[in-house]
Amino acid sequence: MNNKIIVVLFMTLLLGACGLEKTNPLVEKVKVGVMLSENGLGDQSFSDLAFAGLTKARDEEGIVIEYLELADTGTYESGFEQLANSGNDLVIALGFTGQEELEKVAQAYPQQSFVLVDAVSDIDNITSITFKENEGSVLAGIVAATVSKTQTIGFIGGVEAPVIQRFEQGFVQGAKSVNPNIVIMTEYAGDFDNDALGAEIAANMIDSQADVLYAAAGFTGVGMLQEAEKQGVYAIGVDSDQYFYAEKAVITSMMKNIDLALFDIVHTYKETGKVPTGHVELGLAENAVGLAPFRVLDLSQSNQKKLDGYLEKAASEMNE
């Protein structure tokens, strides 16, 4: 399906024969086009959370959203061109995989404002938004190392790209701040959309004594969560609060608040007619990353105090 208009407001067409004039309620609305990442909606993670932020802006700010998926357009370049030609005030590229095509289109439409999420561009009319995933993942690593009984934990990445490596680096840093000798298994699935593969990798890690798993792998990571629950070990979700996908396993989730970031940038555009220029980097200090509420865990009072101490110390150091 092409050009899915999420908010379709009623066109009021009053026929001239009746002496009434035509009006189009969309004319005064801020219009935002978004090209979703490769996996599209339904990843139960990054894309779904980003879309939630835009639908919140639709409901609360009265904007109009148009979204496209790669399965519809064939190429990112075609999707960006469609969105630029549709009269959108902002065109958002969700994810780093379409960066090259976005830059090509942005240079062809120098008066159009573009937003790139999860990568950095030096094109003048592209605003880049990145997150300090390493900061939130430090907290996830601290949790994993504190609750692990085997002192063996695992990380699963979607693909080896800088944004995913930041998750891994933070997780390792946080875990080793608790126990420098902890064993951390790492594997990149090479796929963001394969829950069966995520479950398979998780099972191998569990066979090797890992009892807390963390993934930054989109829908592949959902397979990890469910395998962890099946085998009775702990897991840490990512991007959104993923407790509800494996309620007996997910201790917490590393929140990457892309929904809030997109809501804010759309709100800013609506209020000022402009978006920030250059590179916007968001971390703990901006409440852009952090941990979801703790569940499942049944820690002793002393262990809970120990965990709280580690988390407070790390957050304080990163906010300095």
Side-chain angles (χ1 to χ4, degrees), residues 53 57 258-270 276 286:
I258 186 174
D259 54 336
L260 301 180
L262 291 184
F263 179 88
D264 287 346
I265 202 161
V266 170
H267 173 76
T268 297
Y269 184 87
K270 182 184 176 186
E286 294 80 20

Side-chain angles (χ1 to χ4, degrees), residues 219-283:
F219 193 59
T220 301
V222 173
M224 176 279 285
L225 298 177
Q226 295 172 340
E227 184 66 20
E229 181 174 68
K230 178 181 174 183
Q231 297 212 33
V233 302
Y234 288 135
I236 298 174
V238 75
D239 290 343
S240 60
D241 186 351
Q242 295 189 311
Y243 166 72
F244 302 101
Y245 300 122
E247 296 184 359
K248 296 179 181 177
V250 176
I251 307 169
T252 183
S253 298
M254 201 294 278
M255 300 290 289
K256 179 175 170 178
N257 297 324
I258 186 174
D259 54 336
L260 301 180
L262 291 184
F263 179 88
D264 287 346
I265 202 161
V266 170
H267 173 76
T268 297
Y269 184 87
K270 182 184 176 186
E271 294 297 314
T272 67
K274 298 183 291 186
V275 292
T277 57
H279 180 198
V280 179
E281 191 174 22
L282 304 170

Side-chain angles (χ1 to χ4, degrees), residues 1 13 27 42 47 66 78 102 130 139 166 172 218 227 298 302:
M1 182 187 300
L13 299 176
V27 169
S47 295
E66 178 181 10
S78 174
L102 177 71
T130 63
L139 305 182
R166 288 198 293 272
V172 171
E227 184 66 20
D298 185 20
S302 62

Side-chain angles (χ1 to χ4, degrees), residues 30 109 151 153 156 165 209 258 265 268 313 317:
V30 170
Y109 294 82
Q151 286 300 285
I153 59 178
I156 301 172
Q165 289 167 333
Q209 304 303 310
I258 186 174
I265 202 161
T268 297
K313 180 175 183 293
E317 290 174 350

Side-chain angles (χ1 to χ4, degrees), residues 38-39 43 45-46 96-97 154-168 186-195 197-198 201 205 214-224 238-239:
E38 184 173 349
N39 300 326
D43 68 348
S45 185
F46 180 74
F96 61 90
T97 51
F155 171 81
I156 301 172
V159 299
E160 283 200 79
V163 61
I164 304 302
Q165 289 167 333
R166 288 198 293 272
F167 286 91
E168 179 196 354
T186 294
E187 184 166 343
Y188 283 84
D191 196 330
F192 282 109
D193 195 28
N194 190 335
D195 59 334
L197 179 57
I201 295 171
M205 289 181 170
Y214 176 50
F219 193 59
T220 301
V222 173
M224 176 279 285
V238 75
D239 290 343

Side-chain angles (χ1 to χ4, degrees), residues 18-99:
C18 299
L20 302 176
E21 58 182 323
K22 295 179 181 179
T23 61
N24 181 353
L26 297 181
V27 169
E28 301 301 324
K29 299 286 185 180
V30 170
K31 304 178 188 67
V32 177
V34 58
M35 186 71 199
L36 296 170
S37 57
E38 184 173 349
N39 300 326
L41 293 179
D43 68 348
Q44 302 174 15
S45 185
F46 180 74
S47 295
D48 287 353
L49 187 61
F51 202 70
L54 292 174
T55 54
K56 181 173 185 283
R58 175 200 63 189
D59 296 341
E60 298 183 9
E61 301 287 331
I63 68 164
V64 178
I65 305 170
E66 178 181 10
Y67 77 96
L68 295 175
E69 297 184 86
L70 192 59
D72 302 325
T73 63
T75 66
Y76 283 113
E77 183 176 346
S78 174
F80 294 134
E81 284 185 337
Q82 287 185 49
L83 294 173
N85 284 322
S86 293
N88 288 295
D89 298 292
L90 291 177
V91 174
I92 298 173
L94 197 59
F96 61 90
T97 51
Q99 179 176 357

